[in-house]
Amino acid sequence: MGQIATFEDALQEVKDSQSNAVQWAELMAGHVGITELTAENLNLLVERIEVSDRTETGDGMQQTVKICYRFGGYIGEQTVKTKVLRKPRKKRECPRKTAVAK
């Protein structure tokens, strides 16, 4: 009985994968030739974006970015060199003007 359940689970995974592949293909067919990434396109095509913490290497700092596409899952990942940003300087406040008596 346990083997049958295992085979049924495996079959369901295959069916889900096929369904996801068809949905992904249909989704992408409508967006061939995108030249601009808009908020609408991003929300339609991407499920989530994962950005790792920065790590220090011999060359400096680096960070990994993984994009999980809708119906397609992860398609690679990108590791990029990052810069350490300096804290912004505090803006000096203008002295308060006092009312001038006439």
Side-chain angles (χ1 to χ4, degrees):
M1 193 72 168
Q3 222 175 10
I4 292 173
T6 301
F7 287 136
E8 286 175 344
D9 289 344
L11 178 61
Q12 187 61 46
E13 281 185 39
V14 169
K15 286 180 180 179
D16 291 345
S17 294
Q18 288 174 337
S19 174
N20 285 346
V22 169
Q23 288 177 312
W24 174 251
E26 289 171 354
L27 185 63
M28 292 309 295
H31 292 83
V32 173
I34 291 176
T35 58
E36 181 180 352
L37 183 61
T38 63
E40 180 183 355
N41 292 339
L42 183 66
N43 289 326
L44 186 66
L45 301 174
V46 176
E47 185 172 318
R48 70 178 171 276
I49 299 173
E50 297 174 8
V51 180
S52 69
D53 291 334
R54 286 185 301 188
T55 56
E56 193 168 346
T57 65
D59 298 354
M61 301 294 280
Q62 72 179 24
Q63 204 164 9
T64 301
V65 178
K66 291 168 48 172
I67 300 174
C68 182
Y69 295 92
R70 283 193 199 285
F71 312 115
Y74 292 103
I75 302 176
E77 65 182 49
Q78 182 74 34
T79 300
V80 294
K81 290 184 179 184
T82 60
K83 295 180 180 179
V84 176
L85 301 176
R86 290 190 231 166
K87 291 183 181 178
R89 294 181 186 166
K90 287 186 178 180
K91 292 182 181 178
R92 285 191 260 161
E93 291 184 27
C94 294
R96 292 184 185 224
K97 293 184 180 179
T98 55
V100 179
K102 289 188 179 184

